[in-house]
Amino acid sequence: MNAVPGRAPITKDELARGSQVIRAVQQSFASKVVGQADLLQSLLVAVLANGHVLMESVPGLAKTTAAATLARGMDATFHRIQCTPDLLPSDIVGTQIYDQHDGSFRTQLGPVHANFVLLDEINRSSAKTQSAMLEAMQERQTSIGGESHPLPKPFLVLATQNPIEQEGTYTLPEAQLDRFLLKEILTYPTPTEEAEIVRRIESGVFETDATPVASVEDVLMLQELTKRVYVDQAIVNYVVQLMYVTRHASDYIGAQLAGYIEYGASPRGSIAFTQASRALALVRGRDYVIPEDIKTLRHSILRHRLILGYEAEADGVTSEQVVDAIFDAVRTP
């Protein structure tokens, strides 16, 4: 039986229980959200791996609905924050309010203190506000008036970016993008899916809240199981080699394609692959990681960690194309 060093192996009963909870959440999500299977997979992976997700798409592709549905299905708290240029850090993390009755200050926690936090159009908030949110994501606590306030468990940030209307936005620094476990790019629904969306709206499906099918305790249980999913040393070596190739691409994928890369992935890329692949394996009903898990996650993990130069955009070369070339250059174990 495969086991993570220092941790007990996952039993059949634990794996069955975890799979049951995951299926219930998937069915609850599908009852509200049409399509978006890749988004659901990424959200589940992020929840189980205790990470955060950056979503990019045009408006109207159910990002808020997806986040709220997942939170309600897990009986977790959910807050949505609409980012604007005048949004202050205190509007997110909280502040101290003066009480005139007794002449004291009391702490009012901000909307970041929830299990699921949707940061809508994060690139419209100022750099100072972005920094405060990213610090909360990393430290999993906020500091208000010199006191630290831990964020609830589980804690998941879903930040969205709108690729259009870039005027008046503050681009997230590349070094900060690295703090998101995954980046998902949402696409338009198919005609069949869009027809189903219209039908569900007409039938009033979205007027009622989703019934919880799991609990916060179930989510914490899944997170603990994820840490015990086995990753063989051959898989770790595979991931490390892939990250090495992103930094020395000209030796593996040719000078022309490698020339588009300005910076390769940092060691956070290797960490993200091992954490996310454990979660994906559990979502797929396994207690061990296989190379296919790594390949499935390649775009979500590397598209915001592989920094391409302006020549790539000019020539119509995408980060996904470069990532695929890198994976083709490394032998699968």
Side-chain angles (χ1 to χ4, degrees):
M1 183 179 293
N2 296 325
V4 178
R7 298 181 185 273
I10 298 175
T11 66
K12 290 184 178 180
D13 289 342
E14 288 175 324
L15 187 60
R17 171 58 182 156
S19 297
Q20 180 184 3
V21 173
I22 290 170
R23 282 195 302 271
V25 172
Q26 289 172 328
Q27 291 169 0
S28 172
F29 186 91
S31 68
K32 286 280 188 179
V33 182
V34 179
Q36 302 294 10
D38 290 342
L39 175 60
L40 172 58
Q41 179 175 273
S42 292
L43 292 179
L44 285 173
V45 165
V47 171
L48 270 59
N50 206 18
H52 308 288
V53 181
L54 179 63
M55 299 184 289
E56 184 175 296
S57 79
V58 298
L61 296 189
K63 297 183 292 293
T64 302
T65 301
T69 300
L70 188 66
R72 290 175 185 133
M74 295 178 172
D75 201 19
T77 55
F78 171 76
H79 286 159
R80 176 182 174 274
I81 303 172
Q82 179 62 54
C83 295
T84 57
D86 60 349
L87 190 71
L88 300 175
S90 58
D91 295 329
I92 290 178
V93 301
T95 188
Q96 286 190 314
I97 299 176
Y98 181 69
D99 192 332
Q100 294 183 345
H101 294 291
D102 56 13
S104 64
F105 286 90
R106 61 182 176 85
T107 300
Q108 180 173 311
L109 299 179
V112 73
H113 288 266
N115 297 121
F116 288 75
V117 178
L118 178 68
L119 278 176
D120 216 353
E121 296 190 289
I122 187 174
N123 54 331
R124 294 204 177 277
S125 60
S126 67
K128 182 181 290 187
T129 302
Q130 288 178 8
S131 177
M133 189 65 221
L134 291 164
E135 181 181 358
M137 289 165 50
Q138 183 72 17
E139 304 299 330
R140 297 183 183 272
Q141 66 177 22
T142 59
S143 296
I144 305 171
E147 293 184 0
S148 296
H149 300 272
L151 294 169
K153 296 180 181 180
F155 174 64
L156 173 71
V157 171
L158 310 166
T160 74
Q161 283 191 144
N162 184 350
I164 59 176
E165 298 180 16
Q166 293 300 309
E167 186 175 350
T169 63
Y170 303 82
T171 305
L172 281 169
E174 285 81 358
Q176 301 291 12
L177 284 173
D178 212 14
R179 298 188 182 277
F180 288 95
L181 179 69
L182 306 173
K183 180 182 178 181
E184 278 300 316
I185 296 180
L186 278 63
T187 57
Y188 287 110
T190 65
T192 302
E193 291 172 342
E194 192 163 349
E196 176 63 16
I197 292 170
V198 174
R199 188 196 68 77
R200 291 190 184 187
I201 290 177
E202 292 295 321
S203 63
V205 169
F206 299 102
E207 295 175 4
T208 58
D209 291 338
T211 303
V213 295
S215 65
V216 169
E217 288 72 25
D218 289 329
V219 177
L220 297 177
M221 176 270 294
L222 290 173
Q223 289 183 343
E224 184 58 33
L225 285 182
T226 299
K227 296 176 184 177
R228 293 158 57 193
V229 171
Y230 178 72
V231 182
D232 191 82
Q233 187 60 43
I235 299 288
V236 175
N237 294 341
Y238 177 50
V239 168
V240 171
Q241 179 65 19
L242 287 165
M243 297 306 99
Y244 178 85
V245 173
T246 68
R247 303 163 201 154
H248 305 85
S250 59
D251 297 332
Y252 296 89
I253 63 173
Q256 181 176 2
L257 201 56
Y260 294 118
I261 302 176
E262 284 200 350
Y263 300 100
S266 75
R268 282 182 183 160
S270 298
I271 296 170
F273 265 115
T274 53
Q275 291 177 337
S277 62
R278 279 190 168 106
L280 181 59
L282 193 62
V283 169
R284 292 178 168 178
R286 282 183 276 104
D287 62 352
Y288 56 90
V289 174
I290 60 175
E292 188 60 34
D293 297 326
I294 304 297
K295 292 181 178 180
T296 298
L297 293 164
R298 67 189 187 280
H299 294 157
S300 300
I301 288 179
L302 287 180
R303 62 164 50 106
H304 59 302
R305 290 186 167 90
L306 203 64
I307 308 303
L308 305 185
Y310 67 89
E311 297 93 344
E313 184 175 356
D315 293 345
V317 175
T318 65
S319 59
E320 288 83 1
Q321 289 174 291
V322 179
V323 168
D324 287 343
I326 289 170
F327 268 72
D328 289 341
V330 178
R331 186 178 67 85
T332 304

